[in-house]
Amino acid sequence: MWRRSGGVVDGVSATVRASNAVSLWCGGRGVDHLVVGGVRGSSYASSAASTATPQSPKTAVVLLNMGGPPTQEEVLPFLTRLFSDNEIIQLPLSPAFQQRWIGPLIAKRRSPRIAQQYAAIGGGSPIFSWTEKQGNAMVKLLDSLSPATAPHKAYVAFRYAPPLTEDTLNEMKRDGVKRAVAFSQYPQWSCATTGSSLNELWRKVHALGMEDSIKWSVIDRWGTHPRFIEAVAKVVTDGLNKFPTPEDRKDAIILFSAHSLPAKIVNKGDPYTLEVGSTVNKVMELLGYSHRYMLSYQSQVGPAAWQGPATITTATALGRKGHRNVLVVPIAFTSDHIETLFELDIEVKHAANEAGVANYIRAPALNGEPLMFQAQAEIVNTHLHTFAAGAAAEAAGLVTTTTTTTQQQPQQQQQQQQQQQPESEEPTVAAALGCAEPHYSPQFPMRCPGCVNPACRNIVNPITPYTQPSLGLAAK
């Protein structure tokens, strides 16, 4: 996500019998061509609107990601937004209130080099075109999988490139959306990616006065979802099949590459590296641990310490140690963008070849992979019907979703609940059924140990009751 060479970021429900409700609730718990340039401003909205149904979508699915500049002219605005935001990049010795002035200066200095890199990959980032294609394929499958929540419509909301979050929210308002799922397109959680995208979403919801107009739920991580693992294993196999001989294919080392994080964020307890490792392990397990493999991190920028080992350093070291065949697999990205098309395909490849890697091959990105479309649709379908099962169970009188504490309830209401429910029964749908809450993952409410951001782990106008976790006492 961040680049050492230039600082680029480029990139994210009735009537049911009680027994069926529990089954639905817990089910699924294991939970083209490049088009670049010429897409600016309102072009995004018109492109999305052209696929909309005549009626208002019953369920909106908002695909969250950081985005990338579609043209070289958009590089400077993109970098200016990026470096002005200290929630993503914390400049050393620069308080947040100063970063809004220092960030644009850094962006102006770096943009010529970064524009050249985008020129080398076709003129701009393809991340919007791929995200839009994935979203449209996903909702087409969703309409079949979940007619009760159809019609569905996919919206794209980027942090630093169009379509920006506020523009997407305005489009949803025009469409009359009342129910939405914020679907992070980062499979593994990090406070610097999914966390910041959600924080931006809620800020813009408040800024636009939309706090009460849309009911929200959140898909905040999905890095071990079985269909996603299957999709990644598929592109790994496709990559292995590109080696020139069976002997080279058998000899290949699989080098998984994920975007890095500053050590400062990792040391606060950010779960990203743990979740990336879990994805890698699941992929290799599905492949039967057929090859030797490693995990490295790319796109470090600046002098501060970052999570390592660096992908370019690792690939170079493999060559120097006599390894001739290396398959590089992007493991934390859902599509191609500058980090795959330039960093991995040009920079890292050149360094690895110079160090002695004869066959450096990069596995295809998920882009238009049908298994990826299916994974996204299944993830959202399970999310929506987990909520539906919880609501049905509540309607059947099995559980309650109230978040009010016993001390706050009137005495008469307490006595009625004690008569109706055994003392051992838990007060929420999730606890009673032994499953996650319907509108977020079990990990979502857990702040990092070193978290100091009061905006984190929040949901505005949630579809079911939710309380943002406290920051707690500041460390001394």
Side-chain angles (χ1 to χ4, degrees), residues 77-109:
F78 171 76
L79 293 179
T80 299
R81 297 183 190 106
L82 171 67
F83 283 104
S84 299
D85 184 2
N86 80 315
E87 197 167 59
I88 299 296
I89 295 179
Q90 299 175 3
L91 301 178
L93 305 178
S94 176
F97 73 93
Q98 291 183 1
Q99 190 158 335
R100 72 188 72 172
W101 300 305
I102 298 175
L105 297 177
I106 297 174
K108 186 175 182 179
R109 186 185 68 183

Side-chain angles (χ1 to χ4, degrees), residues 60-64 153-157 168 172 180-184 201 216:
V61 183
V62 184
L63 306 178
L64 301 174
K153 181 178 176 180
Y155 296 82
V156 178
T168 299
M172 294 168 67
V181 178
F183 186 7
S184 171
L201 176 63
W216 290 92

Side-chain angles (χ1 to χ4, degrees), residues 114-395:
I114 302 308
Q116 292 177 1
Q117 295 177 0
Y118 278 104
I121 65 169
S125 172
I127 191 170
F128 172 76
S129 61
W130 283 124
T131 304
E132 183 183 48
K133 178 174 182 177
Q134 290 172 349
N136 289 337
M138 172 193 68
V139 294
K140 185 176 181 179
L141 291 170
L142 264 177
D143 286 347
S144 297
L145 288 171
S146 181
T149 58
H152 306 84
K153 181 178 176 180
Y155 296 82
V156 178
F158 287 156
R159 285 293 315 266
Y160 303 115
L164 296 169
T165 303
E166 58 264 41
D167 298 326
T168 299
L169 286 170
N170 279 321
E171 183 185 358
M172 294 168 67
K173 185 176 182 179
R174 291 191 297 270
D175 287 349
V177 171
K178 300 298 181 184
R179 169 75 173 99
V181 178
F183 186 7
S184 171
Q185 292 307 285
Y186 304 99
Q188 305 88 7
W189 170 280
S190 173
C191 297
T193 53
T194 298
S196 67
S197 290
L198 287 171
N199 293 346
E200 175 74 354
L201 176 63
W202 309 137
R203 280 193 293 266
K204 297 306 181 182
V205 165
H206 284 296
L208 295 172
M210 297 175 63
E211 298 94 329
D212 299 322
S213 60
I214 299 175
K215 286 288 188 180
W216 290 92
S217 60
V218 173
I219 300 175
D220 51 277
R221 68 198 77 204
W222 41 280
T224 58
H225 187 276
R227 195 71 69 193
F228 171 64
I229 298 300
E230 188 178 347
V232 177
K234 166 68 164 48
V235 297
V236 170
T237 301
D238 291 344
L240 289 170
N241 288 334
K242 293 181 179 181
F243 282 89
T245 68
E247 292 75 19
D248 291 330
R249 187 179 310 123
K250 183 178 181 180
D251 180 63
I253 292 177
I254 301 176
L255 179 59
F256 292 95
S257 183
H259 62 74
S260 187
L261 283 179
K264 183 178 180 180
I265 294 177
V266 176
N267 292 338
K268 285 183 178 181
D270 190 286
Y272 172 73
T273 55
L274 172 65
E275 295 191 12
V276 170
S278 296
T279 302
V280 169
N281 185 62
K282 288 291 186 181
V283 171
M284 292 308 302
E285 183 178 51
L286 185 58
L287 293 171
Y289 297 97
S290 59
H291 290 71
R292 295 166 293 174
Y293 66 99
M294 303 182 72
L295 171 60
S296 61
Y297 295 87
Q298 66 181 87
S299 312
Q300 296 89 340
V301 60
W306 287 66
Q307 173 68 47
T311 298
I312 192 167
T313 303
T314 304
T316 301
L318 288 172
R320 290 174 179 167
K321 292 181 183 298
H323 298 287
R324 298 181 66 258
N325 301 290
V326 175
L327 176 69
V328 176
V329 180
I331 195 60
F333 308 120
T334 55
S335 69
D336 271 322
H337 44 74
I338 196 167
E339 283 121 323
T340 59
L341 299 173
F342 185 85
E343 184 176 1
L344 294 182
D345 290 357
I346 298 176
E347 286 187 332
V348 178
K349 180 178 182 179
H350 175 75
N353 289 158
E354 288 287 306
V357 177
N359 297 308
Y360 173 98
I361 294 175
R362 198 257 293 175
L366 292 167
N367 290 346
E369 171 56 51
L371 283 170
M372 180 60 178
F373 305 156
Q374 190 173 349
Q376 292 171 309
E378 289 180 5
I379 290 165
V380 177
N381 181 55
T382 298
H383 177 83
L384 292 172
H385 286 281
T386 295
F387 171 75
E394 183 184 11

